Amino acid sequence: MPAKGKHRRPKHYRITRKLALAGTGGAALTLPLISATTAGAVETAAAPTTYSVVVGDTLSEIAAKHSVSGGWQQLYAANRSVVGDNPSIIRPGIKLKLGTPTETDRASRSAARTTLTPAAKPAVKTTTAAVKPATAYPNNLDGWIRESLAVMAKHGIPGSYNGIHRNVMRESSGNPLAINNWDINAQNGIPSKGLLQVIDPTFRAYHVPGTSTNSYDPVANITAACNYAAARYGSIDNVNGAY
């Protein structure tokens, strides 16, 4: 017969710490129980940067409560413009900056660096057609003749530089304000005017668009006279006397 087993009275141990058994195969790890409230990440509130004064506050108490670097002296220095000349008197309702000017500036710069800004739009390359500058003509007889020839070419009016110059020198000696007050035209009240001595009715009839309507204008006078000469003689180059 098998021997009778001896029954031992189990010993009771006082548990002073809560334990949890975590199975790992054949062995067991004993871990302390952690409450849900401590298992999560602990969030710390950002220190305020300003403080609104209430009745009974003093700068020293505010500096101590908010751990202001430099104490109440630094707090006063940073807020003297709102506190006034007496640091012992602070009015309820005013807002104090808790950080020193240096700390405030550093925080502002740090915030500015971390602030996301929209990407700048790439510059749009634009191309514009080259604009040919207008030819500048000198304000003298040479310039007037060359400008008139350019206008004549646009309107198909024949004539050459030499033909124009020869007739101008005979009719007015190159004076754009020349006027004939003695011939038959003058006696009829329509004196010849300008570089090529054109009477007003002829000027109006043969005026070329794009030029001045003033018969004394050098370019307008030459162009109208050449237009008339082309209609009557074929070209100003064919004119060798009064026309």
Side-chain angles (χ1 to χ4, degrees):
M1 294 179 64
K4 294 182 179 180
K6 294 183 180 180
H7 298 279
R8 296 181 181 179
R9 186 176 181 180
K11 295 182 180 180
H12 297 280
Y13 298 93
R14 180 177 297 177
I15 299 175
T16 59
R17 187 177 184 184
K18 294 181 180 180
L19 302 176
L21 297 180
T24 58
L29 297 178
T30 304
L31 301 175
L33 293 175
I34 302 175
S35 65
T37 57
T38 59
V42 178
E43 297 182 357
T44 57
T49 57
T50 61
Y51 175 78
S52 184
V53 175
V54 298
V55 177
D57 276 341
T58 64
L59 290 180
S60 59
E61 291 175 349
I62 297 171
K65 181 178 179 181
H66 295 280
S67 301
V68 175
S69 176
W72 74 265
Q73 294 91 339
Q74 182 58 53
L75 182 61
Y76 174 58
N79 295 277
R80 183 165 184 168
S81 61
V82 294
V83 172
D85 295 332
N86 189 348
S88 299
I89 302 175
I90 54 175
R91 299 184 307 279
I94 64 172
K95 289 188 179 298
L96 303 177
K97 293 183 293 184
L98 297 179
T100 63
T102 302
E103 292 170 343
T104 302
D105 293 343
R106 188 183 302 117
S108 298
R109 290 193 298 270
S110 177
R113 286 195 298 268
T114 57
T115 300
L116 296 179
T117 56
K121 293 182 179 179
V124 178
K125 185 178 180 180
T126 59
T127 56
T128 56
V131 178
K132 187 177 180 180
T135 303
Y137 297 97
N139 188 28
N140 54 31
L141 181 57
D142 174 70
W144 301 330
I145 294 175
R146 290 196 288 118
E147 186 174 353
S148 180
L149 285 170
V151 176
M152 290 164 58
K154 291 180 180 179
H155 292 272
I157 302 171
S160 67
Y161 185 98
N162 289 335
I164 295 172
H165 189 273
R166 182 183 70 250
N167 282 283
V168 165
M169 296 309 294
R170 184 188 67 252
E171 295 293 335
S172 66
S173 299
N175 178 11
L177 299 179
I179 184 170
N180 185 324
N181 290 315
W182 55 266
D183 67 1
I184 188 62
N185 289 322
Q187 294 173 20
N188 292 331
I190 48 173
S192 302
K193 301 176 181 178
L195 289 174
L196 283 173
Q197 293 293 282
V198 183
I199 61 176
D200 285 342
T202 301
F203 178 83
R204 288 192 295 268
Y206 292 92
H207 174 259
V208 177
T211 62
S212 173
T213 56
N214 181 358
S215 62
Y216 281 109
D217 180 83
V219 175
N221 188 279
I222 292 174
T223 309
C226 288
N227 193 25
Y228 164 73
R232 185 166 182 179
Y233 303 103
S235 170
I236 189 70
D237 294 343
N238 298 329
V239 178
N240 295 293
Y243 62 111

